[in-house]
Amino acid sequence: MTAGPDGPPGPLRDAEAVVLVGGQGVRLRPLTLSAPKPMLPTAGVPFLSHLLARIRAAGIEHVVLGTSYKAEVFAEHFGDGSAFGLELEYVVEDEPLDTAGAIRNVSHLLRERDVLVFNGDILSGLDLRSLVDTHRSSAAEVTLHLVKVDDPRQFGCVPTDADGRVTAFLEKTEDPPVDQINAGCYVFRRPVIEDIPAGRRVSVERETFPGLLADGKRLQGHVDSSYWLDMGTPAAYVRGSADLVRGELPSAALPGRPGEALVLPGARVAEDAVVDGGSTVGADAVVAAGAQVTGSMLFDGAHVGAGSEVRGCVIGAGARVGSGVTLRGAVIGDGAVVGDGCELLDGARVWPSVEIPAGGVRFSADRR
Ligand code: GTP
């Protein structure tokens, strides 16, 4: 462990963090049309608040955000970071530089030997100190958080040898040799960042890491089995928020105590309505009489009408769901209207401001 002044474990004051938040979040459209993915409300606060709280809890203060898509909204919300106990800096890419390009693009602001790099869309319970301890004790150039997944066919996989040393980066295949995947969190020695080519798109997984392996450099895997979720799809995003609300992944940024529902100030839930499964009801949102909202997120000002059933859904800001509506696994864009009696199932998505007339429209899509 990293030793503190009174013995282990100590805060990571001699490390700093880079968070990559510049992606377009295509898989989460239409929610990401109005806000970048790391700023989407998640258990009552922007998703990034949970990650920054974890970074701060580990004792890291200096954090650089690599921004591109909708860059300005991050600084508008988080400012210089002092309200969160952080020293936050921002770097904007004129053109998206991809993951490694984005890391290289912030290198002029880095000052410590070890730099933790985070994808800005991962929820995880990883102990950051133990990741850094693995990095330091193995004297690696880069240490990668790896997780084991049930179905590795959906991901590229990252085999390691008996000492935990990464041996390859394998593309997606129908028959992956191991179930370990890149979890989107790394520790870099700073000189490795400076060696990444500047000013062009570079991917960590497709170019930087395979290049380091080909040069015989040590990349260390840190396999960890605590909570981990890539919230890049609507289903994962809804699940992640519900897990935070219920305290399955504790977060210091949760605005309230863990429980079945998080009802934000100004929201109104009718006495005989049911809101559970880790749902969030945003400020000034309404859940009308007899409605059932389970494992879902209602953004600020959203309205769910009488007797409607909403499961595993996101209802965008100011969107209106009529009475007697059934929504399961659906995403309703900001300001959209779903008329009385409609049924939207299985990953259906309604774009912002679209109005679906009343009359029992049944729509199902499987695009998750
Ligand atoms: P999809 O478009 O739905 O795949 O989402 P995404 O754009 O976020 O891509 P992906 O999930 O692969 O990105 C992983 C992380 O890297 C996310 O936190 C992104 O914000 C970030 N990221 C991806 N591309 C860039 C980029 O060009 N610049 C910066 N600064 N960050 C990026």
Side-chain angles (χ1 to χ4, degrees):
M1 297 292 280
T2 308
D6 306 318
L12 290 171
R13 288 205 205 290
D14 51 351
E16 60 197 329
V18 172
V19 186
L20 304 177
V21 293
Q24 302 234 347
V26 173
R27 290 167 295 158
L28 272 177
R29 285 183 187 164
L31 301 171
T32 44
L33 295 174
S34 55
K37 180 165 49 172
M39 292 303 288
L40 288 177
T42 310
V45 292
F47 177 84
L48 188 57
S49 307
H50 300 288
L51 176 53
L52 292 178
R54 274 185 56 232
I55 292 172
R56 182 67 192 85
I60 295 173
E61 288 175 7
H62 184 222
V63 181
V64 184
L65 298 189
T67 69
S68 173
Y69 177 65
K70 297 192 184 291
E72 63 294 344
V73 300
F74 294 97
E76 281 165 16
H77 184 86
F78 292 104
D80 66 2
S82 51
F84 305 87
L86 295 168
E87 179 195 350
L88 268 184
E89 296 190 276
Y90 305 85
V91 179
V92 183
E93 293 151 40
D94 299 330
E95 294 292 327
L97 293 171
D98 208 335
T99 43
I103 301 168
R104 174 66 177 84
N105 197 49
V106 308
S107 64
H108 60 288
L109 295 178
L110 301 176
R111 52 207 187 203
E112 302 288 352
R113 204 190 84 150
D114 294 324
V115 182
L116 282 108
V117 175
F118 297 85
N119 281 359
D121 56 356
I122 301 290
L123 265 186
S124 128
L126 170 70
D127 177 353
L128 299 178
R129 285 187 195 92
S130 67
L131 180 72
V132 172
D133 286 340
T134 297
H135 181 69
R136 290 179 180 165
S137 62
S138 61
E141 301 295 321
V142 181
T143 298
L144 294 84
H145 174 205
L146 304 178
V147 288
K148 292 183 183 289
V149 292
D150 292 338
D151 185 4
R153 288 174 306 173
Q154 305 170 39
F155 306 90
C157 68
V158 185
T160 45
D161 69 13
D163 296 327
R165 190 173 176 151
V166 173
T167 54
F169 285 86
L170 304 173
E171 299 281 337
K172 276 185 207 173
T173 129
E174 270 307 299
D175 192 18
V178 290
D179 58 359
Q180 291 173 181
I181 65 160
N182 173 3
C185 173
Y186 323 104
V187 189
F188 277 74
R189 287 168 60 105
R190 190 150 54 88
V192 176
I193 294 177
E194 277 148 21
D195 284 346
I196 297 170
R200 68 166 173 87
R201 291 182 65 87
V202 187
S203 153
V204 281
E205 277 186 293
R206 287 189 298 280
E207 188 172 339
T208 305
F209 294 156
L212 287 166
L213 279 189
D215 290 345
K217 298 282 169 48
R218 180 162 193 140
L219 300 188
Q220 188 72 13
H222 178 88
V223 182
D224 183 85
S225 57
S226 49
Y227 183 101
W228 182 85
L229 183 72
D230 172 348
M231 49 79 87
T233 63
Y237 168 48
V238 170
R239 189 164 69 244
S241 181
D243 288 346
L244 286 162
V245 169
R246 290 195 299 205
E248 282 180 35
L249 178 65
S251 170
L254 184 72
R257 277 205 293 266
E260 278 299 294
L262 175 66
V263 179
L264 295 180
R268 278 177 295 139
V269 177
E271 223 166 88
D272 64 346
V274 176
V275 179
D276 61 8
S279 295
T280 300
V281 184
D284 302 320
V286 173
V287 181
Q292 162 112 34
V293 174
T294 299
S296 295
M297 256 181 288
L298 273 54
F299 288 3
D300 293 352
H303 183 110
V304 172
S308 290
E309 179 198 324
V310 175
R311 284 181 193 275
C313 295
V314 184
I315 314 293
R320 294 189 70 80
V321 173
S323 306
V325 169
T326 302
L327 300 179
R328 288 195 210 128
V331 175
I332 310 300
D334 295 345
V337 176
V338 180
D340 295 348
C342 290
E343 196 172 289
L344 301 182
L345 308 175
D346 306 332
R349 302 186 196 196
V350 178
W351 247 238
S353 307
V354 166
E355 296 192 16
I356 301 184
V361 170
R362 188 168 198 280
F363 179 78
S364 145
D366 202 10
R367 293 197 292 140
R368 270 181 288 179

